[in-house]
């Protein structure tokens, strides 16, 4: 049993070590520090799954008459995205060639999200309820684009797969019952999955802050954005049970990074 346990441990460690890499360079907002990521699944596989979900989402919205692909609101958000896209090369040159695409869904939801490869979805509720300025739209856009650049979807899938693999191996070797394995799964979710998601959210905040500054949008709008989100209830609730950081924590981290990104904003303003 001990021999089998060692072999399984070594095999798992080898898989995890082989999957460690980084998708981008570090950000000025993080002090230039990069971070190794666990990437066990291929980018092509994640891209295919993301595209399928994106198409399904759009088909459902179109069937309800909620898919917006033109008009004043769409054009406004589209212009923000197009202005930011050239600056993704600061983190990874290949991303400038990605098929970045925006859809706006006419739904009373304060939300936006991104699929792998740069498929971005905004909801009209976000624009209307928060009455976003262009700089605040850019703060949301930069955050979502940062998720795509850092391949957080791919990383999250890989992290979950590694955790499930470890639980399955451990349960089989120790002869654990189904209940014990389920409890371990819950422990993994609380101790690994949720904090990991918060970490990715915080990372996207900071990478996004640099993106918008490079594009000439005022990065300080990220603070006013989260002040508005706090009033809407976004980022509230017990922090340890949330996949998003507390709004106060986000604003503190953004404020601490501001001295590092404001010079990029000033430089961009002089070029415009």
């Amino acid at each position: 049993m001990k021999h089998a346990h060692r072999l399984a441990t070594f095999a798992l460690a080898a898989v995890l070590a082989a999957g460690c890499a980084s998708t981008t360079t570090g950000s000025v907002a993080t002090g230039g520090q990069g971070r190794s990521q666990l990437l066990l699944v291929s980018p092509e596989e994640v891209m295919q799954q993301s595209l399928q979900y994106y198409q399904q989402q759009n088909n459902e919205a179109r069937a309800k008459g909620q898919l917006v692909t033109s008009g004043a609101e769409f054009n406004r958000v589209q212009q923000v995205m197009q202005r930011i896209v050239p600056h993704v090369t600061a983190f990874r040159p290949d991303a400038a060639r990605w098929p970045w695409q925006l859809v706006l869904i006419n739904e009373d939801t304060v939300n936006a999200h991104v699929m792998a490869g740069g498929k971005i979805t905004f909801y009209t509720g976000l624009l209307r309820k928060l009455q976003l300025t262009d700089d605040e739209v850019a703060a949301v856009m930069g955050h979502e684009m940062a998720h795509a650049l850092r391949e957080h979807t791919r990383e999250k899938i890989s992290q979950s797969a590694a955790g499930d693999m470890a639980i399955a191996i451990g349960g089989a070797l120790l002869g654990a019952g189904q209940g014990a394995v389920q409890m371990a799964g819950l422990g993994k979710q609380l101790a690994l999955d949720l904090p990991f998601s918060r970490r990715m959210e915080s990372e996207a905040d900071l990478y996004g802050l640099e993106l918008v500054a490079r594009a000439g949008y005022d990065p300080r709008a990220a603070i006013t954005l989260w002040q508005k989100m706090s009033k809407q209830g976004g980022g509230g609730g017990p922090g340890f049970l949330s996949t998003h950081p507390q709004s106060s924590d986000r604003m503190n981290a953004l404020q601490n990074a501001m001295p590092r990104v404001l010079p990029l904003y000033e430089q961009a303003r002089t070029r415009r």
Side-chain angles (χ1 to χ4, degrees), residues 115 124 150 233:
M115 294 286 101
T124 55
R150 290 292 290 158

Side-chain angles (χ1 to χ4, degrees), residues 199-215:
R199 184 180 187 182
M200 288 190 289
E201 289 294 333
S202 297
E203 191 172 64
D205 281 348
L206 296 177
Y207 276 73
L209 201 66
E210 179 176 342
L211 273 177
V212 301
R214 288 183 178 278

Side-chain angles (χ1 to χ4, degrees), residues 56-227:
Q56 178 183 344
Q57 166 202 268
N58 294 349
N59 289 338
E60 291 175 358
R62 186 180 294 108
K64 296 176 183 177
Q66 296 177 328
L67 189 67
V68 182
T69 56
S70 62
E73 287 181 314
F74 176 85
N75 291 339
R76 181 179 171 225
V77 181
Q78 173 88 336
Q79 287 170 3
V80 172
M81 183 186 76
Q82 290 177 337
R83 184 166 143 186
I84 296 175
V85 165
H87 300 280
V88 299
T89 56
F91 299 123
R92 50 185 302 172
D94 66 309
R97 300 187 297 273
W98 289 1
W100 295 94
Q101 185 178 357
L102 168 74
V103 296
L104 182 65
I105 294 181
N106 188 14
E107 187 176 301
D108 194 27
T109 300
V110 180
N111 197 17
H113 60 80
V114 66
M115 294 286 101
K119 306 299 185 184
I120 300 169
T121 301
F122 264 61
Y123 292 85
T124 55
L126 180 64
L127 300 173
R128 298 169 187 171
K129 284 189 174 183
L130 300 189
Q131 298 182 346
L132 297 184
T133 66
D134 284 356
D135 289 318
E136 290 167 344
V137 171
V140 177
M141 183 66 71
H143 174 91
E144 298 304 333
M145 292 173 71
H147 275 309
L149 291 170
R150 290 292 290 158
E151 295 191 48
H152 282 155
T153 300
R154 181 182 172 203
E155 184 179 12
K156 189 173 182 180
I157 292 172
S158 299
Q159 188 80 8
S160 180
D164 292 342
M165 187 189 309
I167 289 173
I169 291 173
L173 289 173
L174 298 175
Q178 186 64 28
V181 173
Q182 288 176 348
M183 286 302 295
L186 176 60
K188 180 179 80 74
Q189 184 184 33
L190 292 176
L192 181 63
D193 292 348
L194 295 183
F196 190 76
S197 295
R198 290 197 295 271
R199 184 180 187 182
M200 288 190 289
E201 289 294 333
S202 297
E203 191 172 64
D205 281 348
L206 296 177
Y207 276 73
L209 201 66
E210 179 176 342
L211 273 177
V212 301
R214 288 183 178 278
Y217 289 105
D218 191 338
R220 290 167 292 198
I223 304 295
T224 61
L225 168 69
W226 282 106
Q227 289 171 341

Side-chain angles (χ1 to χ4, degrees), residues 2 21 38-39 53 55 58 69 92 94 116 160 233-234 243:
K2 289 183 179 180
L38 183 63
L39 303 170
Y53 176 84
Q55 291 173 337
N58 294 349
T69 56
R92 50 185 302 172
D94 66 309
S160 180
T243 58

